[in-house]
């Protein structure tokens, strides 16, 4: 019994061994899955261009044979297109159908060579199917000529639309480059007998080999390793130029904050592949970002040449309310105002849309909140978050002003002193925006929004207030030295209860102080008007009235309040 069991085991083992041997003979070892090929070599517009000719890219990706050492009539016939390699009756590569697509049937009838294949890729497939403009890239004068292709790509370098990649090529055909070669670069080859032997499109670096897509043998358009051209066809690389179609990927946002559940479509300056560093926080598809949960993660946009651009995406809670910088606003006809919204702490809404219930009176830019007053009347501007939270601002529109006045048209200040200019408009008119300027900021500067004047140094300046519609008014400001002392018209007073006295202050010649404020140390005995110095005796007793200039210089008047004194004894 044991012998029989052993025989069965041996029989099974022999069958398994034979099967493995048979499989190894029939199926070569390179058919393992292509999952270790860089993703950008399996998904880019230049590989798409090869596939569009009829080459079965997906079959090779599926069975793991893509980017193997094929080419020069070695590509499996099961994946090649019906386009032959031809040097006679050749297509230029630019032929298109009536619908504007590359005319593959024409290529099948007349064939392509290396130059016409590259012309097809750059000046036919990319602009007509991928919608990638190549109009800034100089075209070869002969689409089938390698020499004219070299002339063209050297002009790319000269005019800044391409970059030359320096390299060395070893005796085994392998390349050592100064930098990564972007996929889609144009590669010019030479041979021992020809200065211009071949032109191809760079396809990427994998498993120690540089690959190209080209049309260079009986199989027509195909994929081949560069070193095999060197070893088997005697062709070495002469020139590599990367076009600036995909260099330096740029995004319209480097940072982005969204509310939970909000979406935003980010823009790139070229075709890219998108990824999220944390799909639990946000996902991305064709540039559309969808916020999932609160947190921060990185959006990565990778170009076909391997360059990357990032956007830091922060997701916060959805807002439960929204507020505006104005809830009521009066404007003149033709005036604009930028409404700004704010949200509760730790919430976000990138999208806040504005609308008007009466655009004939006041219109608003949907994205941004810029309001424009159109005609007299009232309108309500509503700001709405992506999740439906709203807030309103009532806009009243009045006539545009035709004149304007100031609280001062002449003003004398001491150095370092401030004065707040105020403007006034006729009844029935409005101007929310009034801007102030100085023609001599060295002597007197002014805050643009508000009119606060600051005296800087001795001299004269003209302050101009201008309404949004150009109406103007001016104030002449004279700046003098700041006072070192202060004088009063009386430093001792004796007053009856209820009597008043007007204290007057003065400063030395050549000095100025518009602001002199008065105060009492005992207002129940003698009070004083802060601006002006009018003293009022309240009840019997003594008090000190202090006059103080803007720069701190002071003077004191001593007041004695009595009952029914003779005015002659004051």
């Amino acid at each position: 019994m044991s012998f029989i069991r052993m025989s069965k085991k041996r029989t099974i083992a022999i069958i398994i061994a034979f099967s493995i041997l048979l499989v190894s003979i029939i199926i070569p070892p390179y058919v393992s899955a292509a999952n270790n090929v860089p993703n950008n070599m399996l998904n880019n517009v230049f590989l798409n261009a090869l596939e569009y000719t009829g080459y079965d890219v997906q079959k090779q990706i599926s069975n793991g044979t893509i980017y193997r050492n094929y080419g020069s009539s070695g590509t499996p016939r099961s994946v090649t297109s019906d386009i032959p390699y031809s040097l006679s009756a050749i297509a230029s590569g630019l032929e298109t159908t009536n619908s504007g697509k590359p005319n593959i049937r024409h290529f099948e009838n007349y064939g392509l060579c290396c130059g016409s294949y590259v012309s097809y890729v750059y000046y036919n497939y990319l602009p007509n199917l991928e919608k990638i403009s190549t109009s800034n890239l100089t075209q070869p004068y002969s689409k089938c000529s390698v020499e004219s292709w070299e002339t063209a790509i050297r002009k790319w370098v000269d005019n800044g639309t391409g970059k030359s990649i320096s390299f060395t090529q070893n005796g085994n055909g392998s390349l050592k480059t100064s930098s990564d070669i972007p996929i889609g670069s144009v590669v010019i080859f030479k041979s021992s007998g020809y200065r211009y032997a071949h032109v191809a499109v760079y396809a990427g670096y994998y498993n120690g080999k540089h690959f190209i897509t080209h049309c260079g043998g009986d199989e027509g358009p195909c994929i081949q390793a560069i070193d095999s051209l060197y070893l088997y066809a005697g062709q070495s690389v002469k020139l590599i130029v990367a076009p600036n179609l995909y260099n330096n990927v740029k995004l319209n946002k480097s940072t982005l904050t969204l509310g939970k559940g909000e979406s935003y479509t980010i823009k790139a300056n070229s075709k890219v592949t998108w990824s999220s560093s944390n799909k639990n926080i946000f996902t991305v598809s064709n540039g559309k970002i969808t916020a999932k949960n609160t947190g921060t993660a990185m959006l990565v946009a990778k170009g076909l040449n391997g360059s990357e651009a990032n956007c830091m995406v922060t997701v916060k809670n959805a807002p439960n309310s929204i507020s505006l910088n104005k809830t009521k606003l009066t404007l003149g006809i033709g005036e604009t105002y930028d409404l700004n919204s704010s949200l509760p702490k730790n919430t976000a809404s990138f999208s806040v849309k504005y609308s008007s219930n009466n655009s004939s009176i006041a219109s608003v830019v949907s994205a941004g909140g810029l309001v424009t007053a159109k005609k007299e009347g009232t309108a309500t501007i509503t700001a709405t978050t992506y999740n439906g939270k709203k807030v309103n601002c009532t806009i009243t529109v009045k006539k545009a002003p035709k004149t304007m006045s100031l609280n001062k048209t002449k003003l004398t200040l001491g150095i370092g002193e401030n004065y707040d200019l105020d403007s006034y408009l006729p009844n029935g008119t409005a101007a929310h925006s009034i801007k102030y300027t100085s023609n001599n900021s060295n002597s007197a500067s002014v805050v643009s929004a508000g009119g606060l004047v600051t005296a800087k140094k001795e001299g004269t300046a003209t302050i101009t207030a201008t309404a949004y519609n150009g109406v103007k008014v001016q104030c002449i400001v004279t700046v003098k030295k700041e006072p070192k002392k202060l004088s009063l018209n009386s430093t001792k007073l004796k007053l009856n209860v209820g009597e008043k006295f007007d204290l007057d202050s003065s400063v030395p010649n050549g000095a100025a102080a518009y602001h002199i404020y008065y105060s009492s140390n005992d207002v129940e005995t003698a009070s004083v008007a802060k601006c002006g110095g009018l003293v009022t005796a309240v009840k019997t007793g003594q008090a000190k009235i202090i006059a103080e200039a803007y720069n701190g210089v002071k003077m004191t008047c001593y007041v004695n309040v009595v009952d029914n004194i003779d005015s002659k004894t004051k």
Side-chain angles (χ1 to χ4, degrees):
M1 293 289 291
S2 64
F3 174 77
I4 295 173
R5 285 195 294 270
M6 287 296 291
S7 297
K8 287 182 177 179
K9 289 180 179 179
R10 287 175 180 173
T11 302
I12 293 170
I14 290 170
I15 292 171
I16 292 173
F18 181 79
S19 299
I20 293 173
L21 179 61
L22 183 63
V23 169
S24 67
I25 293 172
I26 297 174
I27 303 176
Y30 52 64
V31 297
S32 57
N35 57 6
N36 59 340
V37 177
N39 182 64
N40 63 339
M41 290 179 66
L42 299 174
N43 181 21
N44 62 71
V45 293
F46 300 100
L47 192 63
N48 293 348
L50 175 66
E51 187 172 41
Y52 194 77
T53 67
Y55 188 97
D56 199 340
V57 169
Q58 297 308 313
K59 182 175 182 178
Q60 285 201 297
I61 292 176
S62 298
N63 65 24
T65 62
I66 196 166
Y67 295 114
R68 304 301 170 175
N69 204 355
Y70 291 131
S72 296
S73 303
T75 304
R77 187 67 188 89
S78 60
V79 299
T80 58
S81 70
D82 293 327
I83 299 173
Y85 174 79
S86 176
L87 283 174
S88 61
I90 200 168
S92 70
L94 303 188
E95 291 82 3
T96 58
T97 63
N98 291 334
S99 61
K101 296 179 180 180
N103 195 335
I104 301 300
R105 180 63 61 86
H106 184 84
F107 301 160
E108 290 172 350
N109 290 336
Y110 294 94
L112 294 173
C113 70
C114 61
S116 57
Y117 173 78
V118 180
S119 296
Y120 147 74
V121 171
Y122 266 96
Y123 304 113
N124 194 341
Y125 180 83
L126 290 184
N128 292 327
L129 286 182
E130 298 288 350
K131 305 305 179 185
I132 298 171
S133 175
T134 56
S135 59
N136 64 328
L137 298 177
T138 301
Q139 293 191 23
Y141 56 84
S142 172
K143 306 302 183 292
C144 304
S145 165
V146 178
E147 180 180 1
S148 64
W149 258 107
E150 179 176 352
T151 301
I153 65 174
R154 287 191 185 278
K155 287 183 179 179
W156 295 3
V157 176
D158 292 342
N159 61 28
T161 58
K163 176 184 177 182
S164 180
I165 308 294
S166 59
F167 64 91
T168 57
Q169 191 164 21
N170 299 327
N172 61 0
S174 61
L175 289 177
K176 183 178 181 181
T177 60
S178 60
S179 61
D180 291 341
I181 306 174
I183 291 173
S185 298
V186 176
V187 185
I188 302 291
F189 294 84
K190 63 181 179 178
S191 66
S192 57
Y194 301 96
R195 291 175 59 200
Y196 311 101
H198 194 55
V199 60
V201 177
Y202 187 75
Y205 181 79
Y206 164 63
N207 199 25
K209 294 180 182 295
H210 294 274
F211 286 88
I212 54 173
T213 57
H214 70 139
C215 192
D218 293 342
E219 65 275 81
C222 65
I223 302 171
Q224 188 170 0
I226 285 178
D227 62 357
S228 70
L229 276 174
Y230 181 83
L231 295 173
Y232 306 128
Q235 295 178 355
S236 59
V237 176
K238 183 180 182 183
L239 177 65
I240 304 172
V241 173
N244 292 340
L245 291 175
Y246 309 103
N247 287 355
N248 303 322
V249 174
K250 295 180 181 179
L251 301 176
N252 64 324
K253 294 285 182 183
S254 58
T255 60
L256 180 65
T257 301
L258 300 174
K260 188 175 177 180
E262 189 173 12
S263 293
Y264 176 82
T265 299
I266 197 166
K267 306 291 185 185
N269 65 335
S270 63
K271 282 212 167 191
V272 298
T273 55
W274 305 95
S275 62
S276 168
S277 66
N278 189 336
K279 294 180 180 179
N280 185 51
I281 293 175
F282 75 87
T283 59
V284 60
S285 176
N286 294 323
K288 183 179 180 180
I289 301 168
T290 301
K292 297 291 187 180
N293 291 291
T294 57
T296 300
M298 186 68 75
L299 172 78
V300 179
K302 191 167 186 178
L304 296 176
N305 64 347
S307 65
E308 291 185 1
N310 299 327
C311 176
M312 186 65 72
V313 179
T314 300
V315 179
K316 296 185 177 182
N317 289 318
N320 53 20
S321 64
I322 180 174
S323 57
L324 290 172
N325 55 339
K326 292 285 184 181
T327 56
K328 291 183 179 181
L329 184 62
T330 299
L331 302 174
I333 292 175
E335 190 170 12
T336 60
Y337 182 85
D338 196 5
L339 283 175
N340 289 320
S341 62
S342 57
L343 302 171
K345 189 177 180 180
N346 297 323
T347 69
S349 176
F350 180 85
S351 172
V352 176
K353 293 185 178 179
Y354 297 82
S355 60
S356 172
N357 73 336
N358 194 335
S359 295
S360 64
I361 291 175
S363 64
V364 65
V365 177
S366 175
L370 183 66
V371 178
T372 301
K374 296 291 188 67
K375 70 177 184 180
E376 288 182 89
T378 302
T380 299
I381 305 298
T382 302
T384 307
T385 65
Y386 75 94
N387 63 334
K389 304 304 176 183
K390 298 181 179 182
V391 64
N392 294 330
C393 175
T394 301
I395 307 291
T396 301
V397 180
K398 295 184 178 183
K399 293 177 182 177
K402 293 183 178 180
T403 60
M404 184 166 54
S405 59
L406 290 173
N407 54 343
K408 290 287 182 180
T409 55
K410 290 185 178 180
L411 184 63
T412 300
L413 301 174
I415 292 174
E417 190 169 13
N418 293 322
Y419 184 85
D420 196 6
L421 283 175
D422 288 328
S423 60
Y424 304 94
L425 302 171
N427 287 337
T429 68
H432 180 83
S433 173
I434 296 175
K435 294 183 178 179
Y436 296 82
T437 58
S438 170
N439 74 336
N440 186 356
S441 294
N442 290 328
S443 288
S445 63
V446 65
V447 177
S448 175
L452 183 66
V453 178
T454 300
K456 296 290 189 65
K457 74 174 186 179
E458 290 182 84
T460 302
T462 300
I463 305 298
T464 303
T466 307
Y468 73 94
N469 62 340
V471 173
K472 298 180 180 181
V473 66
Q474 293 180 332
C475 173
I476 307 299
V477 179
T478 300
V479 180
K480 295 184 177 182
K481 295 176 181 178
E482 62 178 312
K484 300 294 185 181
K485 63 179 182 177
L486 199 62
S487 301
L488 292 174
N489 57 346
S490 180
T491 56
K492 290 184 179 180
L493 286 174
K494 181 179 277 189
L495 300 175
N496 282 320
V497 172
E499 193 174 1
K500 299 179 184 293
F501 184 86
D502 192 7
L503 277 178
D504 286 332
S505 59
S506 59
V507 297
N509 288 336
Y514 182 87
H515 293 99
I516 298 176
Y517 296 115
Y518 298 82
S519 62
S520 170
N521 74 330
D522 185 356
V523 295
E524 292 183 353
T525 298
S527 64
V528 64
K530 180 180 179 180
C531 298
L534 183 64
V535 179
T536 300
V538 180
K539 70 174 185 178
T540 57
Q542 284 88 33
K544 290 191 291 185
I545 304 298
I546 300 170
E548 182 175 357
Y550 71 94
N551 63 340
V553 174
K554 299 178 182 180
M555 190 63 184
T556 302
C557 173
Y558 296 89
V559 180
N560 183 20
V561 180
V562 296
D563 269 330
N564 300 318
I565 62 170
D566 188 333
S567 60
K568 292 182 180 180
T569 65
K570 293 180 185 178

